[in-house]
Amino acid sequence: MLRPVSLVPALALALALPARAADVPIGHLADQSGATSDVGVPYAQGVADALAWINRKGGVGGQKLAVESVDYGYQVPRAVAQYKKWTSGRDKVAAIQGWGTADTEALSAFVAKDEVPYISGSYAAQVSDPTGASGKAKAAPYNFFYGPTYSDALRAMLLWAAEDWKAKGKPGKPKYVHMGGNHPYPNSPKEAGEAMARDLGFEVLPAIVFALAPGDYTAQCLTAKNAGANYAYLGNTGGSNISLLKSCKAAGADIQFMGNVWGMDENAAKAAGEAADGVVFPVRTAAVTGGSAPGLKTIAEISKESDPNGTVYRPVHYLSGVCAALYMVEAIGWAKDNGGIAGPNVRKGFYQKKNWVPAGMEGVCVPSTWSENDHRGMMTVSIYRARVSGPTEGAIADLMKAGTVKLEPVKTVELPRKPDWFGW
Amino acid sequence: MATQSLIPAGDFRASYAADTTIFPTAGSRYAVLAGIALLACAPLVLDRYWLSLLIQIGYFAVAALGLNILVGFTGQISIGHAAFFGFGAFASAWLSNTFSVPVFFAIPLAGVLTTAVGLVFGLPAARLKGLYLAIATLAAQYILQDFFARANWFTGGVAGTPAEAFSILGFAFDTDQRYFYVVLAYLVLTFVLATNLMRSRDGRALVAVRDHYLSAEMMGINLTRYRTLSFGLSAFFAGVGGGLYAHYLQFVSVEGFGILLSIQFLGMIIIGGLGSIMGTLMGTAFMVLVPEAMGWLTDAVKGSAVDRALALKDNLSFLREMAIGLVIVLFLIFEPDGLAHRWRQIKAYWKLYPFSH
């Protein structure tokens, strides 16, 4: 058939084809320029490095992964258009590494129809229900993610907050407020968090909206301060949270902030300086850079894919990106040995083991379990606190080494796999 | 017999019909028909990637045509066209989701709804001109975008809304191969519609308003009516384009309709040629294909000797974005009258060859 592709790339392709014929096409959707690029860049780097490392070691059972990374600028229409390209008949992708909540939800019906496993960077509880049995969300049989759902992470932090309030011996009801952009991602755990907060005896204040991009959020801080908020959930990513924390510090608001998994990291703590001191947030991995877990050695090796000198500091999102990619690789590996690399088989690959950790990632990736009826990979939520004890000029690696910026573990909450928490 | 298909030297037109004909020669008519027939074969030979580009050119061209009627033919300005495009997309999805209106009818109905909205936002156009009007349309952009984000009943709020696939009597046009024909049909229909409109009394009135509004008014043209009408017409095409877009992606999100898209629409008609129907299609194709072509180029350069020598690495993708901007700027400097003008020059060259002066 005639395919009028422009000549140069066509020739290049033709030359490369014989060697690439057996490659497994993988789509990789990343936000490197949009509203969540502050955390999107390290996560995408983790994914890309892990897949490149797999290829360097010989691929999946001798087959290389042909990864196409695309920056979609955190815009749903661009993600949908890119998805259509990837699922064209000729070289349909075997799986996709995705990113944001809005696009993951938008694509959920498509990936189910086309049977393409979609491992996203969004942990919205809405896409954790593969059958729709919860009645709270539509069936999302091909959606996977590595981490606790946003809702479960918030539930765990609220459990901690209730204890914290008691431990501090303060009188009366603590006040809880949900803060974040008016966007599916910050909105995703809003209802679950507010319901849980009410159950735990919090007074729930009206939610406060602040944009996903960095800006001046003094007005929002003063609103929260005047309402007397004690605990606030930050639904946005690092960049805009930094702005908010700084504004709140300047406004003198005494609020215990709780970031979500994307809401705080080493770089954000450095950028926010003292304003970030004391913010608690969930970490998806069992260890952070600088720890002693055996899997961190593998991370150091993977990191060399994009940093041969081994000097770049890898934040928590990088580690999570590696885990997400390696779970997918093992599922593809199982599919290859059991009937071939096709979407439905790769999906089955995720269900083969219980509480599993990808090879070489012991102590880093939290043991996860996916089943045909429940895509909540983990119910374990490790809560950390960002500590900043001095001026934060200089490289992040030095600051972490000197202890100026620290991530200290606060509590690990093991949530029950409650059916009524499922899907929202 | 060859003279049958060429315009004879000298002007022999003796009737208004001959003066306003769309195709001055039989040859040009056959060429267009052959072009459409050729396009109709595209799904048989092109893969999904190329089809998706053609479909994209199609729905954007329908919407850009509306903007060209407003800016190119009437001389009004609008920097809120993306909002009307978005309104059409949401309206079409809303009609088919909420009232179970078949998508076949939902798309033109969305055009009608968008016309109503366009007329409302066009009212200031009756009094405002130039920069003042530009800012008024900017307001339309913001008001509508905010409306999209808040009106859960209409748009699904920030989470967006699914849109059903286009279907006729149960036959779903849900693949690129099939949807291409839907877009092609709409493209031909809207372009014929716009061409005929411009030949009509109302169309000429619009041009008169653009060329000299004072003279037009003295000739008895109701300026208020035609300026508002132009907004309504422009919104209609935007709405239809939006509807086509919605049922192609099968998902509509508020994020797609920002000011950037409005500027892109302006880019399409300026590059294609203001006040040219054919130019609209050329400009749209240009704006859709340039980023892709830059993408192919950067892919080809990636890892090559040039890349290594300049140590571009990750900066290549940024280079691509910058190159798109550069191409557009160069275009505006060296071809300010648009692609349609260049096309006319090419035709003139062959007509006059070898005596070009």
Side-chain angles (χ1 to χ4, degrees):
Chain A
M1 267 200 292
L2 173 74
R3 291 190 198 283
V5 193
S6 72
L7 270 178
V8 178
L11 273 177
L13 263 179
L15 289 174
L17 265 181
R20 295 168 57 98
D23 288 359
V24 182
I26 301 285
H28 177 201
L29 209 54
D31 177 17
Q32 290 169 322
S33 60
T36 59
S37 54
D38 50 342
V39 292
V41 170
Y43 180 84
Q45 194 67 61
V47 171
D49 283 358
L51 297 178
W53 177 73
I54 290 289
N55 273 346
R56 196 158 52 80
K57 288 204 317 174
V60 183
Q63 262 181 295
K64 292 259 167 90
L65 303 169
V67 185
E68 192 187 355
S69 296
V70 173
D71 170 26
Y72 78 109
Y74 203 54
Q75 289 188 357
V76 180
R78 277 173 74 180
V80 178
Q82 184 60 45
Y83 171 80
K84 292 213 156 201
K85 271 187 208 172
W86 277 335
T87 47
S88 64
R90 202 161 37 125
D91 40 1
K92 188 169 149 184
V93 289
I96 296 175
Q97 285 282 333
W99 180 243
T101 300
D103 30 290
T104 299
E105 283 186 33
L107 289 173
S108 168
F110 290 111
V111 295
K113 190 175 151 226
D114 297 335
E115 301 185 320
V116 179
Y118 192 91
I119 299 90
S120 77
S122 161
Y123 312 145
Q126 294 93 307
V127 290
S128 67
D129 180 0
T131 59
S134 69
K136 302 242 170 64
K138 283 189 200 135
Y142 278 83
N143 284 92
F144 294 89
F145 52 82
Y146 164 77
T149 68
Y150 292 143
S151 306
D152 285 343
L154 178 52
R155 286 177 181 122
M157 283 194 293
L158 283 164
L159 284 169
W160 168 83
E163 279 175 23
D164 180 64
W165 184 256
K166 261 186 223 153
K168 281 182 183 156
K170 293 196 181 170
K173 273 183 158 189
K175 289 179 178 168
Y176 165 77
V177 62
H178 177 100
M179 300 176 81
N182 186 18
H183 188 274
Y185 148 62
N187 285 346
S188 144
K190 183 168 170 281
E191 214 183 308
E194 290 181 345
M196 179 85 175
R198 271 188 208 100
D199 285 351
L200 289 169
F202 285 82
E203 184 185 328
V204 177
L205 302 173
I208 295 174
V209 173
F210 71 108
L212 264 172
D216 179 2
Y217 300 120
T218 311
Q220 282 84 344
C221 283
L222 290 175
T223 308
K225 186 184 170 189
N226 295 340
N230 303 109
Y231 293 90
Y233 175 72
L234 299 181
N236 292 356
T237 57
S240 77
N241 286 350
I242 292 167
S243 316
L244 183 102
L245 289 169
K246 283 190 163 179
S247 299
C248 285
K249 175 105 182 146
D254 178 26
I255 301 170
Q256 171 64 55
F257 288 105
M258 305 183 287
N260 80 348
V261 287
W262 302 107
M264 182 48 63
D265 60 33
E266 297 89 330
N267 291 318
K270 168 181 153 52
E274 281 183 50
D277 190 37
V279 174
V280 297
F281 68 106
V283 169
R284 287 148 288 174
T285 43
V288 294
T289 303
S292 56
L296 287 173
K297 287 201 185 78
T298 318
I299 292 276
E301 221 181 289
I302 290 173
S303 170
K304 284 186 184 155
E305 292 297 328
S306 62
D307 169 40
N309 302 328
T311 52
V312 173
Y313 182 86
R314 299 302 189 183
V316 288
H317 309 308
Y318 182 89
L319 273 54
S320 306
V322 171
C323 288
L326 293 183
Y327 276 109
M328 177 189 77
V329 165
E330 294 211 353
I332 293 176
W334 183 88
K336 185 177 160 56
D337 300 336
N338 292 277
I341 304 172
N345 262 346
V346 175
R347 175 175 177 246
K348 272 189 208 154
F350 276 95
Y351 304 145
Q352 295 313 308
K353 294 186 234 172
K354 283 197 163 47
N355 290 319
W356 56 298
V357 172
M361 297 303 291
E362 291 76 15
V364 175
C365 301
V366 173
S368 301
T369 308
W370 290 274
S371 75
E372 273 176 58
N373 306 316
D374 193 344
H375 280 193
R376 289 180 287 184
M378 65 172 86
M379 301 302 288
T380 312
V381 183
S382 304
I383 302 172
Y384 277 61
R385 189 196 303 270
R387 278 279 173 226
V388 181
S389 54
T392 51
E393 285 93 33
I396 186 71
D398 299 336
L399 291 171
M400 295 299 293
K401 208 176 251 173
T404 317
V405 175
K406 264 196 286 195
L407 300 183
E408 60 180 40
V410 177
K411 187 181 167 72
T412 299
V413 180
E414 192 68 45
L415 293 168
R417 213 173 257 276
K418 273 194 185 177
D420 53 332
W421 281 355
F422 190 24
W424 68 298
Chain B
M1 291 305 286
T3 50
Q4 285 283 322
S5 60
L6 290 173
I7 302 172
D11 203 342
F12 294 101
R13 284 172 288 194
S15 66
Y16 284 120
D19 197 36
T20 56
T21 179
I22 299 177
F23 302 109
T25 62
S28 61
R29 182 163 58 237
Y30 295 141
V32 168
L33 289 178
I36 293 171
L38 207 65
L39 273 176
C41 299
L44 307 175
V45 286
L46 297 183
D47 66 14
R48 199 169 162 185
Y49 169 65
W50 283 91
L51 281 177
S52 74
L53 288 182
L54 289 181
I55 290 170
Q56 211 178 337
I57 293 171
Y59 59 67
F60 276 143
V62 171
L65 188 58
L67 189 63
N68 214 345
I69 290 176
L70 184 70
V71 181
F73 286 104
T74 323
Q76 307 283 78
I77 182 88
S78 170
I79 46 178
H81 203 62
F84 296 112
F85 182 73
F87 190 89
F90 280 121
S92 194
W94 177 66
L95 285 169
S96 69
N97 291 345
T98 315
F99 303 103
S100 307
V101 175
V103 177
F104 186 79
F105 298 110
I107 294 177
L109 273 177
V112 174
L113 284 182
T114 316
T115 310
V117 177
L119 286 173
V120 172
F121 282 104
L123 284 177
R127 291 188 176 275
L128 300 177
K129 283 200 299 281
L131 280 175
Y132 295 90
L133 182 57
I135 300 304
T137 55
L138 185 68
Q141 169 84 42
Y142 282 117
I143 290 169
L144 283 176
Q145 246 186 300
D146 193 57
F147 171 72
F148 295 156
R150 285 168 199 273
N152 265 310
W153 56 274
F154 183 58
T155 63
V158 284
T161 181
E164 271 179 55
F166 188 95
S167 66
I168 298 175
L169 300 173
F171 183 78
F173 289 73
D174 55 355
T175 64
D176 288 29
Q177 275 81 2
R178 292 173 187 173
Y179 200 75
F180 175 80
Y181 291 107
V182 177
V183 174
L184 183 64
Y186 266 99
L187 187 73
V188 172
L189 200 73
T190 48
F191 272 64
V192 170
L193 202 71
T195 309
N196 279 326
L197 175 76
M198 286 310 139
R199 300 193 303 160
S200 73
R201 181 186 167 86
D202 290 328
R204 288 198 305 276
L206 293 178
V207 175
V209 171
R210 173 193 72 189
D211 285 349
H212 202 283
Y213 72 94
L214 213 55
S215 311
E217 197 168 25
M218 284 159 74
M219 285 164 70
I221 292 170
N222 184 339
L223 287 188
T224 309
R225 180 166 166 253
Y226 278 103
R227 280 182 175 155
T228 318
L229 177 76
S230 175
F231 261 89
L233 278 171
S234 141
F236 174 77
F237 287 100
V240 171
L244 288 170
Y245 165 83
H247 298 287
Y248 172 57
L249 286 191
Q250 292 169 36
F251 189 85
V252 199
S253 155
V254 58
E255 290 165 330
F257 313 115
I259 180 99
L260 200 66
L261 184 61
S262 288
I263 304 293
Q264 267 176 336
F265 276 128
L266 275 175
M268 287 171 195
I269 60 166
I270 292 172
I271 285 174
L274 287 173
S276 164
I277 305 269
M278 195 62 205
T280 308
L281 189 56
M282 292 177 172
T284 310
F286 183 86
M287 287 293 271
V288 170
L289 294 178
V290 161
E292 297 299 318
M294 288 299 158
W296 305 327
L297 202 67
T298 49
D299 280 353
V301 173
K302 200 177 274 178
S304 71
V306 183
D307 185 3
R308 282 195 299 274
L310 299 174
L312 294 169
K313 284 184 195 162
D314 296 343
N315 298 329
L316 256 179
S317 49
F318 298 106
L319 220 58
R320 174 192 155 179
E321 304 293 324
M322 281 192 273
I324 295 167
L326 183 71
V327 168
I328 292 173
V329 169
L330 289 177
F331 210 93
L332 294 178
I333 294 174
F334 295 106
E335 198 67 284
D337 291 331
L339 288 165
H341 176 68
R342 174 58 51 188
W343 176 238
R344 278 194 290 272
Q345 282 184 329
I346 292 171
K347 281 202 292 193
Y349 174 83
W350 286 109
K351 198 183 279 175
L352 301 174
Y353 187 83
F355 308 108
S356 57
H357 298 290

